[in-house]
Amino acid sequence: MTDTAAASRKSGTSGAQAGVEARRADVRNRWLLASPALTVIFFAALGPLLIMLVYSFLQKGSYGGVVWSFSLDGWFNVFLKRDIFDDTLGFADGHLSIFWRSLKLSFGTTVLALLIGFPTAYYIATRPANLRPVFLFLITIPFWTNLLIRTFAIMEVIRNEGVVNTLLMSLGVISSPIQMLYTDFAIMLGMVYVYLPLMVLPLYASMERLDFRLVEAGYDLYATRLGVLRRIIVPMVKPGIIAGSILVFVPSLGAYVTPRVLGGGKNMMLGNLIELQFGQGRNWPLGAALSITLLVVVMVALLFYVRNASKSGVKSHG
Amino acid sequence: MADAPAKPFSIRRQTGFGFIALCCFVLLYTPILILVFYSFNAGTSIAIWEGFSWRWYEAAWQNERVVDASITSLKVAISAAFLATVCATLAALATTRTAPYRGITAIYAAINQPLMVPEIVTAVALLIFFAMIKVYTGYQGLAYLIIAHTAFCIPFAYLPIRARLENMDLSLEQAAADLYASPWQTFRHVTLPLMAPGILAGAMLAFVISLDDVVITEFVKSGGQDTLPTYMLGQLRRIITPEINAISTVFLGISVAVVTVFFLLNRKGGSSS
Amino acid sequence: MHGNLDAIPAISAQQVTKVFGAGPGSVTALDKVSIDIQRNEFFTLLGPSGCGKTTLLRLIAGFDHPTSGRIDLEGSDISYLPPFKRPVNTVFQSYALFPHMSVAENIGFGLKMLGKPAAEIDAEVEVMLKLVKMEAMRDRSTAQISGGQQQRVALARALAPKPKVLLLDEPLSALDLKLRKEMQIELKRLQHETGITFVFVTHDQEEALTMSDRIAVMSAGKVLQVGTPRDIYDRPSRRFVADFIGDTNFMDAELVSAGKGSDSKASLKLASGKQIAASLPDGDMSAGTVTAVVRPEHAWLTKPKASSVLTGNLETIVYFGTDTHYHVSLATGGMFTVRMQNARGQAGEFSEGDEVGIDIDADAVQVLRD
């Protein structure tokens, strides 16, 4: 009864006002609930990026670290280098070739993954509905297992004393092992291997919703199999193709473990170049500048992805 | 012969796609199976089969560094999974089942931020940041690894919890309130039990993701804080024995088991709502 | 204060307005609604979707709160009480059974939250299971029982805490026709046995007419008419009510002599020139052009004759089994439908194209307020 009495008194205030207050309290509570996650992410993900941005504008210390005075050297050194002898500026050929290799390998990886992933996703999407989850599960399992272990598995297969070379030599096809490990080929193979699920999953998502009555209509209007594929299926699953390609391209560009293990020390990609600056290179501002460059490229690609996804309604995570 | 075609025309078939799909599955699984296979090799080669043996499992078990690294891995993964799940659960409650409010997009973006930034970039940023803190505080413990792992595990824990909450029938909580449950009782007796499968799934994903991490751990760890993956990364530069295969196999076993349970949980959860 | 406690309504809504949103995009779901629901009454809120009936129910339940106005429960203001503090329970349209609890746990939930001892809860759950004839399903999971059984559990769960008012939000809409008929009877039985006030929301006019003690017809956030099913059907006061419930013939007419008061009779002059007695809606009504309604079953066809109230051409005959509908194109313009019972083995005496006369039952013409 006391509750009711209290409410009677309270009802003197306007209901609309009470509604606004309740809404405000709700939003405040929601921010409170989100705050632990936001705090952790700010301290261990977002905040450090800002500090790194600052570091990219500082002078490098002689033994790693930084000297706290403003300098654009870090950013200059991303593309340019100062000749030690005559102090003239030239392009940093080493960096440029690594940039180029990173782009080339990431692009190659994306294309290869698409060539394998598209038919695979299509095949899964055309299986009976009760089998599809099984196939999908088989695609997802490697994705959740350790990337290092998967890279290591590839390494075992292609190394000089590995399964492929041993097998070929014992069959007498070759007399000395083919050098596959520590080549660009190895890096690309490894990246296709580890990122393939990222291609298949979004492709499958868009193919699963494919309306096969349209395919029927295509055949009805005298299209060949190839014609149906080219003119009906591919255009309709284009959002999936874009999504899958970006999801493969982005981590390839930032890959660190795969090129380190399969490329050896020589065949570096961007990730390894960045690491080098924090290790032997001892040029933290350059490392920071390189990281931010990579981040910006990736963000642009992701922005494209988000726009594509929101336009077509493709969900990135299943 | 000419009257009945060998294969009836199928609308859905595309020539050669089945073969490529088969190749895809072979490509995905053969290397892993070879790796597992040679972990049982009696010889020291990872390419020449010399008979079955458990010797490399025993060797790994007796290798103090492997045991230490495993313990570190578990400590970090369990702590990070726990913290990330708590944070993600609260964040999921904050961001679902509401009209859009000012800042909700910013919260989404922040939570998913670790997914979007390349690992190597986060790793070196953390290296810089934690190096500063280490200089000021002198603290060298596992907390750095744990908080770094927590941050990148949050989005993985968040996804299934959020999905679960969004699929939940709003009228269930109204029904509880209607039946005299206070807001806290409603949460405790209705919301939380219904969220539980999502929370469990989120915790498992976070655990696997933390357990698997190489790059961020490699840059954040202090001396003597090798986890199993960073220990293995260090070993790959040397002559490799099947001991690494044995460790990998156990590792794979754990991941596959956890992910399988996750999928079963998710399927069950999906069918009940 | 009050001499007769029974005179205090179970629910009294006074000038209740509910606006969702703010500014130009806002929607007024309820517009100054005032309703008294008596104790032990089976009261139905009837209207098309979007008329505000569910909003009113949610305000009574406490899931939303009025923007202005107040809602009293047995004389005390509950407008801003949260749902868990009002002795009112709801049967949800989706049932909202807790999937992680058994049938018995669902039914006992409210009592548990009220802090009742376990023994008392168990006993009450048994009583409820018996009341809804679900004793055998006690320990089943709610996913393992049929839709009709889920409905019964939802009812038992809402009745177990013995609320002062039971709210039912289209609880039968998910059931198939046969089961729905059964549950309609079941609900009436439960209401009699428990003596609890039922507030029932539906868009199904037949359901409302068969089950209710009183009905409130709602449209666009307003209550248009409150009355017994017979009142609502026979004496609709507004065009919307007449149109929404059953089939109706609308006729323009001239109100010749205006009576006063609710039961007064008035004289109407139809377009055909004939004069006919008609009932007026409550309240004053001045002479002039009005709309009158006649239910199709309150008229019958004859051969055209001088005394026919209306005459016209029989355009179509539609056979419905129990009765036949005759659509007549009136000589004065417009259509008029007549519904007559079929006798076994007897072909109708009228054919399409016939000139016919129409007679109307005494006391069957109702004048509308709008």
Side-chain angles (χ1 to χ4, degrees):
Chain A
M1 261 339 196
T2 45
D3 282 332
T4 348
S8 302
R9 254 175 274 123
K10 200 182 151 196
S11 67
T13 64
S14 138
Q17 196 186 323
V20 170
E21 269 166 31
R23 171 86 184 139
R24 221 175 265 152
D26 177 59
V27 169
R28 202 168 43 232
N29 282 340
R30 286 173 181 279
W31 275 98
L32 212 63
L33 284 171
S35 61
L38 296 180
T39 309
V40 170
I41 285 169
F42 183 77
F43 275 104
L46 197 60
L49 289 181
L50 300 177
I51 294 175
M52 187 166 72
L53 183 64
V54 173
Y55 263 51
S56 72
F57 291 104
L58 296 179
Q59 234 168 49
K60 79 182 180 97
S62 327
Y63 304 100
V66 285
V67 176
W68 281 86
S69 66
F70 178 80
S71 159
L72 283 173
D73 282 357
W75 285 98
F76 266 124
N77 287 333
V78 171
F79 294 110
L80 305 170
K81 67 174 179 197
R82 206 175 288 274
D83 197 290
I84 320 169
F85 301 108
D86 58 10
D87 225 27
T88 52
L89 279 176
F91 282 109
D93 302 335
H95 293 183
L96 287 180
S97 76
I98 289 171
F99 271 113
W100 177 238
R101 176 187 289 115
S102 295
L103 284 173
K104 201 173 62 182
L105 290 181
S106 302
F107 185 73
T109 301
T110 308
V111 171
L112 264 178
L114 183 61
L115 288 178
I116 303 171
F118 187 93
T120 306
Y122 185 85
Y123 182 79
I124 296 174
T126 53
R127 289 312 92 195
N130 58 334
L131 283 182
R132 280 181 231 159
V134 181
F135 279 109
L136 222 54
F137 183 59
L138 285 177
I139 291 283
T140 337
I141 277 269
F143 178 64
W144 291 116
T145 56
N146 195 314
L147 181 129
L148 177 66
I149 293 178
R150 282 183 292 152
T151 307
F152 169 54
I154 286 283
M155 181 186 184
E156 271 201 18
V157 172
I158 62 171
R159 64 193 296 154
N160 286 358
E161 56 278 13
V163 177
V164 171
N165 275 319
T166 311
L167 197 69
L168 289 178
M169 272 158 64
S170 67
L171 291 173
V173 181
I174 49 173
S175 52
S176 61
I178 309 168
Q179 178 67 43
M180 286 181 285
L181 193 59
Y182 307 138
T183 62
D184 282 356
F185 163 77
I187 298 176
M188 206 151 84
L189 177 70
M191 292 201 302
V192 169
Y193 180 61
V194 292
Y195 299 132
L196 193 53
L198 291 174
M199 177 64 86
V200 177
L201 294 177
L203 273 175
Y204 170 79
S206 60
M207 283 175 185
E208 195 196 15
R209 287 176 307 180
L210 193 64
D211 184 353
F212 276 93
R213 284 172 304 185
L214 298 177
V215 174
E216 283 172 8
Y219 282 123
D220 185 54
L221 297 166
Y222 317 111
T224 58
R225 279 198 199 284
L226 204 63
V228 163
L229 182 65
R230 254 188 61 204
R231 305 209 179 270
I232 296 170
I233 298 173
V234 169
M236 283 200 302
V237 301
K238 202 171 137 206
I241 294 175
I242 297 174
S245 300
I246 294 173
L247 284 184
V248 170
F249 185 79
V250 163
S252 299
L253 205 58
Y256 166 76
V257 172
T258 310
R260 173 169 160 180
V261 172
L262 298 177
K266 305 194 308 283
N267 298 49
M268 281 198 282
M269 285 179 65
L270 255 175
N272 312 95
L273 181 63
I274 291 170
E275 187 220 355
L276 194 66
Q277 308 314 319
F278 290 91
Q280 300 154 348
R282 288 186 182 146
N283 192 342
W284 287 27
L286 172 58
L290 285 168
S291 298
I292 289 162
T293 309
L294 172 60
L295 184 61
V296 168
V297 175
V298 164
M299 283 299 149
V300 169
L302 282 178
L303 220 64
F304 193 64
Y305 168 80
V306 170
R307 271 187 46 195
N308 166 62
S310 61
K311 223 169 31 193
S312 62
V314 169
K315 273 181 90 180
S316 55
H317 302 286
Chain B
M1 279 305 279
D3 37 351
K7 260 187 196 166
F9 181 83
S10 159
I11 293 291
R12 300 181 166 225
R13 210 172 98 67
Q14 281 289 339
T15 316
F17 276 24
F19 176 74
I20 299 176
L22 182 72
C23 288
C24 176
F25 284 106
V26 169
L27 173 68
L28 280 182
Y29 281 92
T30 313
I32 294 179
L33 293 178
I34 290 174
L35 180 145
V36 171
F37 181 72
Y38 281 103
S39 72
F40 298 106
N41 195 0
T44 49
S45 163
I46 52 172
I48 301 157
W49 181 249
E50 293 174 35
F52 179 88
S53 135
W54 288 104
R55 77 180 260 210
W56 299 109
Y57 287 86
E58 283 159 22
W61 182 248
Q62 272 149 25
N63 184 336
E64 223 167 85
R65 291 189 59 197
V66 172
V67 174
D68 282 350
S70 308
I71 291 170
T72 309
S73 272
L74 283 179
K75 272 188 196 161
V76 172
I78 290 171
S79 319
F82 174 75
L83 291 174
T85 309
V86 171
C87 291
T89 304
L90 297 177
L93 285 168
T95 51
T96 50
R97 310 179 302 167
T98 170
Y101 53 91
R102 186 191 288 269
I104 192 169
T105 337
I107 297 180
Y108 280 139
I111 287 170
N112 288 310
Q113 184 263 351
L115 287 182
M116 297 185 286
V117 177
E119 259 203 298
I120 182 72
V121 174
T122 308
V124 297
L126 286 172
L127 173 75
I128 293 172
F129 179 53
F130 288 157
M132 287 167 70
I133 296 183
K134 280 176 193 175
V135 169
Y136 281 112
T137 63
Y139 174 74
Q140 300 275 337
L142 272 184
Y144 296 112
L145 273 181
I146 292 172
I147 188 174
H149 278 227
T150 304
F152 68 73
C153 285
I154 285 176
F156 287 94
Y158 174 76
L159 282 176
I161 300 174
R162 181 188 158 177
R164 180 88 197 168
L165 267 175
E166 282 190 334
N167 288 330
M168 201 187 288
D169 185 356
L170 267 179
S171 61
L172 290 174
E173 283 156 302
Q174 285 177 356
D178 186 56
L179 294 162
Y180 313 109
S182 65
W184 167 247
Q185 284 174 315
T186 300
F187 181 73
R188 151 113 180 53
H189 291 287
V190 176
T191 317
L192 196 60
L194 290 174
M195 280 174 85
I199 295 175
L200 192 58
M204 286 161 76
L205 279 194
F207 179 77
V208 170
I209 291 292
S210 165
L211 210 57
D212 284 355
D213 180 71
V214 196
V215 182
I216 288 176
T217 312
E218 177 78 3
F219 282 78
V220 169
K221 74 184 162 81
S222 308
Q225 289 181 348
D226 261 321
T227 61
L228 215 42
T230 61
Y231 167 77
M232 285 167 63
L233 184 65
Q235 294 299 302
L236 291 188
R237 293 205 167 141
R238 305 156 191 235
I239 293 171
I240 298 168
T241 64
E243 186 182 329
I244 294 283
N245 296 40
I247 301 168
S248 301
T249 303
V250 173
F251 215 116
L252 283 175
I254 294 171
S255 299
V256 171
V258 172
V259 172
T260 308
V261 173
F262 166 78
F263 267 79
L264 293 177
L265 261 180
N266 247 20
R267 276 228 331 242
K268 214 178 121 201
S271 65
S272 82
S273 58
Chain C
M1 294 265 229
H2 298 270
N4 182 4
L5 242 135
D6 283 340
I8 306 172
I11 293 285
S12 170
Q14 296 148 34
Q15 297 285 308
V16 171
T17 295
K18 177 66 185 175
V19 181
F20 289 106
S26 67
V27 179
T28 304
L30 289 177
D31 189 4
K32 295 194 180 132
V33 166
S34 296
I35 281 185
D36 282 350
I37 299 171
Q38 303 307 327
R39 291 185 195 191
N40 202 2
E41 188 173 33
F42 197 118
F43 192 91
T44 298
L45 299 172
L46 173 67
S49 62
C51 72
K53 58 188 192 297
T54 298
T55 305
L56 182 56
L57 198 77
R58 290 173 60 82
L59 293 185
I60 299 173
F63 303 136
D64 278 317
H65 302 286
T67 309
S68 66
R70 61 182 266 178
I71 296 174
D72 286 0
L73 175 73
E74 297 193 347
S76 37
D77 185 354
I78 56 161
S79 310
Y80 297 97
L81 270 191
F84 57 93
K85 286 187 180 162
R86 25 179 114 187
V88 171
N89 291 135
T90 307
V91 178
F92 290 81
Q93 186 171 14
S94 62
Y95 312 145
L97 296 181
F98 304 124
H100 57 297
M101 298 179 195
S102 69
V103 166
E105 283 169 328
N106 263 284
I107 297 175
F109 186 85
L111 295 168
K112 189 171 157 194
M113 292 301 112
L114 286 172
K116 296 274 187 279
E120 190 183 319
I121 296 176
D122 285 348
E124 188 56 35
V125 167
E126 290 308 322
V127 172
M128 283 299 145
L129 283 167
K130 204 164 184 179
L131 186 68
V132 297
K133 300 173 185 142
M134 289 284 291
E135 297 99 315
M137 305 291 171
R138 191 179 195 294
D139 298 313
R140 292 280 186 92
S141 129
T142 54
Q144 291 170 324
I145 57 176
S146 72
Q149 291 169 333
Q150 288 180 3
Q151 168 75 80
R152 289 162 185 275
V153 176
L155 262 168
R157 185 179 72 175
L159 285 171
K162 304 222 184 316
K164 293 195 167 134
V165 176
L166 185 76
L167 307 175
L168 302 105
D169 184 11
E170 308 218 14
L172 307 181
S173 61
L175 303 177
D176 62 41
L177 188 66
K178 191 165 169 290
L179 211 51
R180 191 153 67 219
K181 298 278 178 210
E182 277 176 34
M183 283 309 298
Q184 287 177 1
I185 297 164
E186 187 78 11
L187 278 177
K188 281 299 277 185
R189 177 181 71 83
L190 284 172
Q191 202 250 331
H192 279 299
E193 282 182 25
T194 57
I196 291 173
T197 308
F198 277 33
V199 181
F200 187 87
V201 159
T202 184
H203 63 269
D204 182 337
Q205 42 123 343
E206 193 194 323
E207 201 167 85
L209 291 176
T210 52
M211 299 176 71
S212 320
D213 294 327
R214 284 198 306 150
I215 298 172
V217 182
M218 296 183 67
S219 170
K222 288 187 189 318
V223 171
L224 298 183
Q225 188 173 1
V226 181
T228 64
R230 192 164 288 278
D231 275 347
I232 298 283
Y233 187 79
D234 285 347
R235 304 196 54 212
S237 65
R238 290 182 185 273
R239 178 174 283 273
F240 179 87
V241 177
D243 202 21
F244 187 71
I245 296 162
D247 298 325
T248 305
N249 293 298
F250 291 93
M251 297 183 297
D252 290 330
E254 193 78 28
L255 185 56
V256 182
S257 71
K260 268 204 169 196
S262 57
D263 272 329
S264 62
K265 290 289 174 214
S267 186
L268 270 190
K269 189 177 170 197
L270 300 178
S272 59
K274 287 276 182 327
Q275 292 237 357
I276 190 166
S279 313
L280 291 180
D282 294 351
D284 293 347
M285 195 88 191
S286 52
T289 310
V290 294
T291 305
V293 288
V294 177
R295 297 289 180 189
E297 66 272 23
H298 293 152
W300 71 96
L301 292 187
T302 61
K303 299 286 179 205
K305 54 183 197 270
S307 66
S308 291
V309 178
L310 300 162
T311 54
N313 182 273
L314 179 52
E315 271 194 357
T316 43
I317 300 174
V318 186
Y319 178 71
F320 273 91
T322 56
D323 50 26
T324 303
H325 295 191
Y326 300 90
H327 298 281
V328 179
S329 176
L330 294 177
T332 52
M335 295 295 295
F336 195 98
T337 304
V338 173
R339 185 187 295 168
M340 295 201 289
Q341 290 271 313
N342 292 326
R344 182 176 164 79
Q346 193 182 334
E349 52 182 311
F350 300 98
S351 329
E352 290 179 0
D354 286 357
E355 291 299 321
V356 292
I358 298 171
D359 282 344
I360 295 172
D361 285 342
D363 203 23
V365 182
Q366 172 69 33
V367 175
L368 297 179
R369 183 153 289 287
D370 57 356

